[in-house]
Amino acid sequence: MSSASELPEPRFAPASVDASHQIALEIRRYLEREGLRPGDRIGTEQELAAEFGVSRPTLREGLRLLASSHLIRVGRGRAGGIFVARTAGEGMSRNVSESISMMLATESVSLGELLDARMFLEVPLAGLAALNATDETAAELQAAIDDATGHESGTPSFSDADTRFHQTLARAADNQLLTAFTDWILEVLQPRLIEEIGAITDADEILRQHRDIQRAVRRKQPAAAEKAMRAHIEYLMRIQRGDV
C-alpha cells in the first residue's frame, strides 16, 4: 500500500491560484502516474495540506471535488486518511453511469438512443479486442458462452454470463477510455435492456452471435469481429423496436 511517508520527494506542486481545483488535478495526476489502485493510501489531511502549502479547509474543497468524481474516500479514526476509491477510468465510468441512469429515469433519453450509442462504442471495441486478444481472452469468451448455454434469456444465469462476455471483450480491447465509456452498458443499459426485452429474446440466437464474435476474436480478425458485433446489436435493436 502506498503512503505519503514512504515517498522521499515532494509529490505535488504548491497550490496557488484556484487552489482547490489545482489540488484535485495534482492528486488525480499523481494517482495515474503512480498507478495507485483502490484501497491505496494517499496520506492524511495534515500531510497533504502541508505538501500543498494550504489550509485544511482549502484542501478539503479539493478532496470534495475528487470524492464527487468517485476517485477517493476519506477514512476516519487512527487508521484513517485519504484512500483511492477508484482509478480515473473507473471514476469516469461511474459518473457516466449515474448521468445516464438519471436520463433514463426522467425519460430524457430512450432505450433506442442508448442502443444507437452502444453500436458506435462496441463495434470498434470488438475490433480492438480481436487485434489484442490472447488465447486466454478467447478461452474466457468461450467459458461465458458455455455458462449461458442451457439457460433462458433474461434469467440471472444467462444475464451474468452475457455480462461477463462483454466485460472480457472490453478488457481485451486494451483502451481505457473506450472501456470506461462502455462500462455504462453493463451497469445501466444492460439491466434495463434485460427488463424490457429479455423475455422475448431468443437465447440460442444470442449465443450464436456470441460464438461469431468469439470466433473472430480467436482468429484475430478485427473486421469480422466488428461485423459480428454489429449484427448482434442490430438484432437487439430490431427486438426493441418490435420488428422481430
Side-chain angles (χ1 to χ4, degrees):
M1 305 280 274
S2 301
S3 69
S5 60
E6 295 171 353
L7 297 169
E9 298 180 1
R11 300 174 294 174
F12 313 112
S16 53
V17 180
D18 200 7
S20 60
H21 285 83
Q22 183 183 340
I23 287 167
L25 179 60
E26 286 281 337
I27 293 177
R28 183 188 292 265
R29 286 173 173 169
Y30 172 71
L31 301 185
E32 286 286 305
R33 186 171 66 247
E34 298 298 319
L36 298 189
R37 304 296 303 169
D40 285 349
R41 187 173 184 272
I42 303 169
T44 65
E45 280 190 4
Q46 183 177 357
E47 291 167 345
L48 292 175
E51 286 195 67
F52 281 110
V54 298
S55 66
R56 291 175 74 168
T58 299
L59 175 76
R60 286 175 187 146
E61 180 61 22
L63 296 178
R64 185 190 65 78
L65 294 173
L66 292 170
S68 68
S69 297
H70 308 285
L71 293 179
I72 66 163
R73 62 178 177 83
V74 179
R76 303 298 179 185
R78 294 183 62 183
I82 315 303
F83 296 87
V84 179
R86 290 184 173 88
T87 64
E90 291 167 344
M92 178 173 61
S93 173
R94 173 59 61 183
N95 286 335
V96 172
S97 294
E98 289 181 351
S99 297
I100 294 173
S101 292
M102 180 62 68
M103 292 170 75
L104 276 172
T106 58
E107 298 183 345
S108 58
V109 65
S110 69
L111 196 58
E113 288 174 308
L114 290 180
L115 280 170
D116 286 339
R118 180 174 177 175
M119 176 73 81
F120 281 100
L121 287 168
E122 281 206 275
V123 169
L125 193 80
L128 285 172
L131 278 174
N132 299 318
T134 63
D135 290 342
E136 182 180 359
T137 301
E140 289 178 3
L141 291 173
Q142 185 60 51
I145 293 170
D146 293 342
D147 289 345
T149 301
H151 298 283
E152 292 296 322
S153 176
T155 61
S157 295
F158 188 94
S159 299
D160 289 347
D162 181 70
T163 296
R164 184 151 44 86
F165 182 89
H166 288 277
Q167 285 175 330
T168 301
L169 279 175
R171 289 197 308 271
D174 197 27
N175 182 301
Q176 283 191 329
L177 190 60
L178 266 180
T179 301
F181 275 114
T182 52
D183 274 347
W184 63 263
I185 293 172
L186 304 176
E187 294 185 16
V188 180
L189 175 58
Q190 198 80 339
R192 179 70 178 270
L193 198 62
I194 291 167
E195 179 183 343
E196 183 163 321
I197 68 173
I200 58 175
T201 301
D202 187 336
D204 290 337
E205 178 61 20
I206 291 291
L207 291 176
R208 185 193 66 76
Q209 294 164 6
H210 280 190
R211 290 188 187 98
D212 288 344
I213 296 168
Q214 191 271 351
R215 183 183 307 110
V217 170
R218 174 169 49 84
R219 294 176 177 176
K220 295 184 177 295
Q221 299 172 328
E226 291 183 0
K227 180 180 179 181
M229 180 62 78
R230 185 177 295 107
H232 176 53
I233 298 175
E234 285 175 346
Y235 171 72
L236 297 176
M237 287 176 163
R238 291 196 301 273
I239 294 178
Q240 193 271 328
R241 293 193 303 263
D243 295 342
V244 175

